[in-house]
Amino acid sequence: MPTSDHSEGAKPPSPPRLRSTDLPEDTDGHSVEPEPFLSGHPILPEDMDISDLTQAQLYEMNQRLLEESMESERPLISPPELTSVLRDEYSNSPNFLAQVDTLVNRGYRIIIRAKGDGDCFYRALAFAHLDRIIRSAGHNKEDRLATTRDMLANAGFDDCVYGQPYEILQSLVQPHHASHTNVKEEFWRSFTDPATSNYIVMYMRLLASAQMRLDEQFADFLFDSESQMQTSVDDFCRRFVEPLGKEADHVQVAALAQALNVHVKVAYLDGHAADGQINFVDFSENASGGAEPLVLLYRPGHYDILQKYL
């Protein structure tokens, strides 16, 4: 199970519910529509503090800010930026500004944005994971992918489904005779080209599905996000994991981290801590042979990549 890294006495964040249709509920269990912002804009008016916002308004503010990442011209993976650029997005939100400063002070200086198209979690984690494999020393890089292909076969997927996506991933990590610059450019091209990038996302989704199908512990945690009723592994995977564009939830994050055998740390930027505290939740903490975790930034409805260095 994932673990949370937060200061003593702090309340850990709830598991991420990433469907944009999910709204906070009132005490009677009914969905609450966010009240409109006084300014008509997600940035707060100067005379309003973030503590004045209801939970629904806070959710809506994040959603409006993240809509920019869904613009058609935005690349699927954007070039690295300084994490401090997030200060501009939350310039009138002191709690968010404090959390951004905390991230920078903890060494997370770089953010790589994923387009908010429903596949951002899978694309972000795939990029971070494959980038690390490419940078790693040794000549057994393909072997780290071979085990995932065996997992898909064991879960009952046909080779014609995952064969081509697997070959794309293998071509990215296998030894190259080209220069380091060319390898890096090819890697970026693969993630920004829609067809190639979506094949990579498809493979990640199949891996998450395979992990759920092969690991019985997931069966008790699979719920239909619309009816909130428990559903079968097969139904959940076919409807909420395998199709492109379906946003990831807590259970998908855990499944893919286990399938890739990587330690994933998720930082929650939610604006709830006036002191700038950031909650981190760990997935597959004992994976990767003690390697540094891959770190993702979570804002309601969206994932990006955090790095300490390029």
Side-chain angles (χ1 to χ4, degrees):
M1 297 298 293
T3 59
S4 178
D5 170 17
H6 51 277
S7 60
E8 184 177 356
K11 184 180 178 181
S14 301
R17 304 291 301 178
L18 307 187
R19 289 178 59 85
S20 60
T21 54
D22 288 346
L23 292 173
E25 295 183 346
D26 62 19
T27 54
D28 296 324
H30 302 296
S31 294
V32 179
E33 291 291 340
E35 299 175 10
F37 287 98
L38 298 179
S39 65
H41 192 275
I43 300 301
L44 297 180
E46 292 183 0
D47 60 348
M48 179 182 287
D49 187 83
I50 195 169
S51 61
D52 298 326
L53 296 180
T54 65
Q55 185 179 4
Q57 287 176 318
L58 182 62
Y59 179 91
E60 181 71 4
M61 184 182 76
N62 275 287
Q63 289 302 307
R64 293 190 185 184
L65 286 171
L66 292 169
E67 282 176 1
E68 296 179 2
S69 73
M70 299 180 67
E71 297 173 358
S72 59
E73 65 271 17
R74 181 178 289 275
L76 296 172
I77 289 286
S78 296
E81 302 175 88
L82 293 178
T83 305
S84 56
V85 301
L86 293 175
R87 297 185 106 263
D88 297 333
E89 299 180 17
Y90 298 105
S91 58
N92 289 342
S93 305
N95 289 15
F96 279 99
L97 291 176
Q99 288 186 313
V100 172
D101 290 341
T102 296
L103 287 173
V104 174
N105 292 336
R106 292 187 65 161
Y108 298 107
R109 299 175 51 251
I110 305 298
I111 182 172
I112 299 175
R113 301 177 190 254
K115 185 175 182 178
D117 58 357
D119 294 317
C120 58
F121 162 69
Y122 298 96
R123 205 179 315 274
L125 185 55
F127 183 94
H129 177 55
L130 294 172
D131 181 54
R132 173 172 292 181
I133 293 178
I134 291 171
R135 293 169 183 261
S136 64
H139 301 283
N140 61 339
K141 298 178 181 180
E142 304 99 312
D143 295 343
R144 299 181 63 175
L145 289 178
T147 57
T148 64
R149 185 169 188 167
D150 294 340
M151 173 186 289
L152 294 177
N154 293 336
F157 290 104
D158 196 289
D159 182 75
C160 67
V161 175
Y162 60 79
Q164 186 171 356
Y166 175 78
E167 290 176 1
I168 290 173
L169 268 68
Q170 189 179 45
S171 70
L172 291 177
V173 304
Q174 67 186 6
H176 289 268
H177 298 290
S179 67
H180 173 75
T181 301
N182 290 340
V183 171
K184 186 175 181 180
E185 290 177 353
E186 177 63 24
F187 182 68
W188 277 94
R189 268 198 305 271
S190 297
F191 271 89
T192 55
D193 172 69
T196 305
S197 193
N198 284 340
Y199 266 127
I200 296 171
V201 168
M202 173 186 171
Y203 194 82
M204 296 297 119
R205 287 181 173 278
L206 291 176
L207 285 179
S209 176
Q211 184 69 38
M212 293 181 197
R213 294 173 185 276
L214 295 172
D215 190 340
E216 294 180 355
Q217 71 169 331
F218 283 96
D220 294 333
F221 301 96
L222 303 182
F223 291 83
D224 187 318
S225 59
E226 298 171 356
S227 68
Q228 298 303 313
M229 300 293 291
Q230 191 166 10
T231 186
S232 68
V233 174
D234 182 66
D235 180 68
F236 185 88
C237 289
R238 285 190 298 103
R239 295 173 60 199
F240 302 114
V241 183
E242 295 164 11
L244 293 176
K246 287 289 186 178
E247 294 173 335
D249 207 337
H250 187 92
V251 67
Q252 288 97 317
V253 177
L256 186 55
Q258 291 183 35
L260 295 175
N261 189 33
V262 293
H263 177 191
V264 177
K265 184 183 288 287
V266 179
Y268 285 75
L269 184 66
D270 52 21
H272 282 113
D275 61 358
Q277 175 185 301
I278 290 281
N279 286 305
F280 289 84
V281 174
D282 292 278
F283 296 84
S284 297
E285 191 169 3
N286 298 320
S288 304
E292 286 291 311
L294 301 175
V295 183
L296 302 181
L297 177 66
Y298 173 76
R299 292 180 279 174
H302 190 70
Y303 282 96
D304 292 309
I305 304 164
L306 289 177
Q307 293 182 342
K308 292 187 175 182
Y309 48 85
L310 289 176

